[in-house]
Amino acid sequence: NPQHNRKFFALLQAIMLHQELYLSTDDLLDGIKLALGHVKESRNAETLEAVYTPASINFGAMDQEAFETFYQKAVDLICRRIIPGLNDADLEREVDEILAGRGAR
């Protein structure tokens, strides 16, 4: 769903305004993926240790149901760990403002 994808990237945009840990939305997205376990596993060729990198959230990589679950888990993580005390209703309101062109760019 392209609209849900737009909403997710508006969510990232909103979070960037209220935190200093991540320098870019790409960094924030990777941090969220890693924290939620949305990763792919590979092996270090020398040590054979598992290495985890963020997995894709593009349309070909996950269906709408999986994306909705990922989105809600991301909102929960953001409100619990990235910006503690932020409630999901306030976050959703800010996302809606960004999508309507009244928020940050």
Side-chain angles (χ1 to χ4, degrees):
N1 181 334
Q3 291 172 329
H4 206 171
N5 192 287
R6 276 188 63 234
K7 184 175 181 179
F8 183 73
F9 282 91
L11 171 77
L12 296 177
Q13 199 176 7
I15 297 312
M16 288 301 295
L17 299 172
H18 302 288
Q19 60 79 46
E20 296 177 359
L21 180 62
Y22 298 99
L23 301 178
S24 71
T25 55
D26 288 338
D27 291 344
L28 174 59
L29 176 57
D30 285 348
I32 290 170
K33 288 176 181 179
L34 291 169
L36 296 179
H38 188 72
V39 297
K40 61 181 182 175
E41 180 181 337
S42 58
R43 296 279 168 185
N44 179 304
E46 185 172 335
T47 66
L48 301 181
E49 292 178 320
V51 177
Y52 300 95
T53 55
S56 176
I57 59 170
N58 74 25
F59 300 126
M62 52 185 355
D63 63 18
Q64 183 59 30
E65 184 177 334
F67 188 82
E68 288 175 14
T69 299
F70 176 80
Y71 182 91
Q72 191 53 54
K73 286 181 178 180
V75 168
D76 294 343
L77 174 71
I78 290 163
C79 293
R80 188 179 77 252
R81 303 283 297 164
I82 298 174
I83 307 176
L86 177 66
N87 70 56
D88 57 347
D90 289 340
L91 179 56
E92 289 292 330
R93 192 170 19 264
E94 189 162 348
V95 168
D96 290 342
E97 288 177 4
I98 289 171
L99 290 171
R102 296 186 304 264
R105 297 201 187 259

